[in-house]
Amino acid sequence: MRLLLDTHILLWGAAEPERLPNSVGSLIENLENEIVFSAVSLWEIAIKTSRGRDDFRVDAGLLRRRLFENGYAELAITGAHAAALANLPRLHKDPFDRMLVAQATVEGVTLVTGDPAVARYPGPIRLV
């Protein structure tokens, strides 16, 4: 199964693995799963870090390298993803989360999130 990790899941895994639910750890450790991160998450981290947010003090470039070192695949943002945003209901205002949902829908990957607002979207989303 291909799993797209939400930004907070990526951050917890990188900096605070004890915050990851056991179910997420099991998904990541299962060698049958392909773990994917989105360029959207790195964009979100870079923007929020540059604004001085305490919960986003992460070097996006270093995180990206570490994700590759751990066998994660990167999902770029495409025009198809942007176009899919028009079809999403307005359940959540966060543009980064909305793009992750659009990417999961277009690519047919399961978005793994701990955010109940994101999990309200139709499509391949797994709330942990």
Side-chain angles (χ1 to χ4, degrees):
M1 176 179 353
R2 289 181 73 207
L3 302 172
L4 174 61
L5 303 184
D6 198 347
T7 306
H8 65 277
I9 301 290
L10 285 174
L11 289 172
W12 291 348
E16 301 175 275
E18 67 279 0
R19 290 188 69 181
L20 283 176
N22 290 336
S23 59
V24 174
S26 296
L27 289 171
I28 292 171
E29 292 170 10
N30 184 338
L31 298 178
E32 293 182 17
N33 292 332
E34 178 186 5
I35 308 302
V36 179
F37 69 94
S38 174
V40 170
S41 292
L42 297 177
W43 183 20
E44 178 179 13
I45 290 166
I47 287 173
K48 292 180 177 178
T49 295
S50 70
R51 290 183 179 165
R53 284 194 43 177
D54 288 335
D55 57 339
F56 280 88
R57 295 192 182 271
V58 176
D59 180 321
L62 178 60
L63 176 61
R64 182 175 185 261
R65 282 195 305 276
R66 294 273 166 81
L67 292 170
F68 282 133
E69 289 169 2
N70 285 296
Y72 291 32
E74 183 174 37
L75 179 58
I77 303 165
T78 69
H81 301 150
L85 287 170
N87 298 321
L88 291 180
R90 296 289 303 170
L91 300 175
H92 194 41
K93 293 182 182 181
D94 186 303
F96 303 109
D97 286 338
R98 289 176 53 80
M99 181 56 85
L100 290 171
V101 171
Q103 286 184 300
T105 302
V106 169
E107 299 297 325
V109 300
T110 300
L111 176 60
V112 178
T113 185
D115 185 339
V118 172
R120 290 177 39 216
Y121 281 99
I125 300 170
R126 182 171 182 162
L127 180 64
V128 293

